[in-house]
Amino acid sequence: MAAISLSGVASFPSGTAHTCDTVWQEFVLDPLARTVTVENRDAAIVLRVAWDTMGPPASAETPADNGAVGTHFSQVPASGSRVYRVREDAVRRNDTGSIFVAGASGAPVCYVEQAKGAA
């Protein structure tokens, strides 16, 4: 699997749909992104979400594209969505960072959208 780049977009909000697996899929965010919404389009399977430098404090496991899902992640319920704010220190550093999404099982479809606005 290769990382999916959402950086260098012409306009906001911008995003992409993706069929997940049970390993991390990396989505590289634009440095101007201030919020990221992860929408779970599956009616039965939970999504797992982790961050690198842009999101909530780093977890005990550092996620990697196509890497195994550890025990530290947040969840998006089936048919639900969750909005995450980009860390303020990442904004000050103008970081390009990533969010990682995986299915708890099967192949759920997610939609990852980045925006400039506040959550």
Side-chain angles (χ1 to χ4, degrees), residues 10-95:
S11 63
F12 285 88
S14 66
T16 188
H18 179 75
T19 301
C20 296
D21 199 345
T22 56
V23 295
W24 290 127
Q25 172 62 57
E26 179 178 11
F27 295 86
V28 179
L29 303 172
D30 191 281
L32 297 176
R34 298 300 175 257
T35 62
V36 180
T37 302
V38 178
E39 177 186 328
N40 187 347
R41 295 187 171 173
D42 193 274
I45 301 171
V46 170
L47 289 177
R48 295 174 173 164
V49 178
W51 287 83
D52 67 358
T53 60
M54 287 185 80
S59 66
E61 303 100 13
T62 302
D65 188 53
N66 204 34
V69 175
T71 57
H72 296 82
F73 50 80
S74 63
Q75 296 193 119
V76 179
S79 300
S81 65
R82 186 165 179 190
V83 179
Y84 300 90
R85 281 196 292 178
V86 172
R87 289 173 54 155
E88 285 301 318
D89 58 340
V91 171
R92 287 191 300 274
R93 290 189 315 259
N94 200 33
D95 276 359

